[in-house]
């Protein structure tokens, strides 16, 4: 089955700096890659996603890039703010008939220091 | 608010017991996914239903079962509970069927049910 690895597991940045989180996946047939933000005790919230026919997608301060050849994708957050502090999960939708179940990375705890 | 609702928010029970978690998808969504989140295993896919039928199974124990009803709400049943079953259980919903050839549907998560087994 699909395996998603996520790095780093923790990341501390100064407010205003950029943060980058990287993920690799194993199943070359995966074609959908969402990123979720989760605050303590709350639900994962979708912040951005990318499909395999696109190399990059941007939404204000957040961008995601995808390299299908290398099977990795990354989340970029610019001009970080304290409210960006949370755990971020990447995910991939594996191959297999009839389902778009998500396989998640282990998460990155981002701390933005004011 | 994602539009996905889950009840109860918290559940405390004893080992060996059986519990039922409930999920109502967003209006118009036909697919329901269940995920388990624990500290050591992260977020893991358990099972998916589409329009009342089981569509995919992940790392779901035989002690666990689920169903989706005609009104599209779903229930996850956990039996013979063990200490290690303590976790956050999320359901997510999406519009489509998961049929190949159709653009993958975005999944929206509910607030979760925190299960504590004592």
């Amino acid at each position: 089955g699909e395996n998603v690895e996520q790095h780093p597991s923790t990341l501390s940045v100064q407010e205003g700096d950029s943060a980058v989180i990287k993920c690799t996946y194993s199943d070359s047939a995966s074609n959908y890659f969402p990123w979720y933000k989760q605050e303590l005790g709350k639900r994962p919230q979708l912040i951005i996603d990318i499909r395999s026919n696109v190399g990059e997608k941007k939404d204000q301060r957040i961008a995601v890039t995808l390299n299908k050849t290398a099977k990795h994708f990354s989340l970029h957050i610019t001009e970080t703010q304290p409210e960006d502090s949370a755990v971020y999960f990447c995910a991939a939708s594996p191959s297999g008939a009839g389902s778009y179940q998500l396989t998640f990375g282990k998460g990155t705890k981002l701390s933005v220091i004011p | 608010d994602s539009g996905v609702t889950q009840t109860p928010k918290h559940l405390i029970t004893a080992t060996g017991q059986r519990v039922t978690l409930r999920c109502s998808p967003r209006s118009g969504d036909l697919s329901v996914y269940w995920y388990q989140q624990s500290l050591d295993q992260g977020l893991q896919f358990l099972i998916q239903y589409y329009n009342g039928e089981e569509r995919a199974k992940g790392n779901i124990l035989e002690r666990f079962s689920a169903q989706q009803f005609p009104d599209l709400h779903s229930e996850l049943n956990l039996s013979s509970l063990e200490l290690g079953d303590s976790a956050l259980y999320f359901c997510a919903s999406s519009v489509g069927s998961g049929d190949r050839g159709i653009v993958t549907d975005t999944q929206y998560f509910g607030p979760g049910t925190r299960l504590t087994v004592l």
Side-chain angles (χ1 to χ4, degrees), chain B residues 6-51:
Chain B
Q6 288 187 249
T7 57
K9 287 186 179 179
H10 303 278
L11 202 47
I12 301 174
T13 189
T15 55
Q17 295 298 304
R18 182 180 188 274
V19 297
T20 297
L21 314 183
R22 182 187 169 108
C23 167
S24 292
R26 296 186 317 157
S27 177
D29 285 359
L30 300 177
S31 273
V32 171
Y33 301 77
W34 286 96
Y35 293 88
Q36 178 193 58
Q37 185 174 36
S38 59
L39 282 174
D40 56 343
Q41 294 294 324
L43 266 163
Q44 290 209 313
F45 168 73
L46 296 178
I47 196 164
Q48 179 208 356
Y49 278 80
Y50 169 71
N51 204 21

Side-chain angles (χ1 to χ4, degrees), chain A residues 17 48 83 96 105 110:
Chain A
D17 288 349
I48 196 167
E83 51 265 38
L110 174 64

Side-chain angles (χ1 to χ4, degrees), chain A residues 28-86:
Chain A
S28 57
S30 286
N31 58 8
Y32 175 62
F33 307 92
W35 287 86
Y36 287 85
K37 174 185 179 182
Q38 187 179 29
E39 296 174 357
L40 190 62
K42 303 239 175 125
R43 64 183 175 92
Q45 285 186 283
L46 179 75
I47 56 171
I48 196 167
D49 57 12
I50 192 167
R51 293 183 169 83
S52 60
N53 58 345
V54 175
E56 183 173 358
K57 184 176 177 180
K58 193 172 181 180
D59 182 4
Q60 299 183 339
R61 297 186 297 109
I62 295 173
V64 58
T65 59
L66 171 64
N67 183 327
K68 282 202 68 181
T69 303
K71 289 191 280 190
H72 68 69
F73 56 112
S74 300
L75 177 71
H76 304 252
I77 305 174
T78 58
E79 300 172 15
T80 53
Q81 301 167 2
E83 51 265 38
D84 294 329
S85 297

Side-chain angles (χ1 to χ4, degrees), chain B residues 23-118:
Chain B
C23 167
S24 292
R26 296 186 317 157
S27 177
D29 285 359
L30 300 177
S31 273
V32 171
Y33 301 77
W34 286 96
Y35 293 88
Q36 178 193 58
Q37 185 174 36
S38 59
L39 282 174
D40 56 343
Q41 294 294 324
L43 266 163
Q44 290 209 313
F45 168 73
L46 296 178
I47 196 164
Q48 179 208 356
Y49 278 80
Y50 169 71
N51 204 21
E53 295 186 359
E54 181 183 306
R55 187 56 67 102
K57 263 186 176 179
N59 299 317
I60 187 166
L61 299 171
E62 286 192 11
R63 301 183 284 108
F64 296 0
S65 65
Q67 54 185 326
Q68 187 179 27
F69 295 86
D71 67 353
L72 301 177
H73 90 271
S74 177
E75 293 182 355
L76 179 66
N77 301 296
L78 315 176
S79 61
S80 303
L81 286 167
E82 302 175 359
L83 296 177
D85 298 327
S86 295
L88 264 171
Y89 291 85
F90 289 103
C91 87
S93 73
S94 71
V95 172
S97 65
D99 291 333
R100 306 316 295 178
I102 297 175
V103 171
T104 307
D105 292 313
T106 302
Q107 292 182 31
Y108 295 93
F109 281 72
T113 293
R114 181 173 294 281
L115 173 66
T116 302
V117 182
L118 300 175

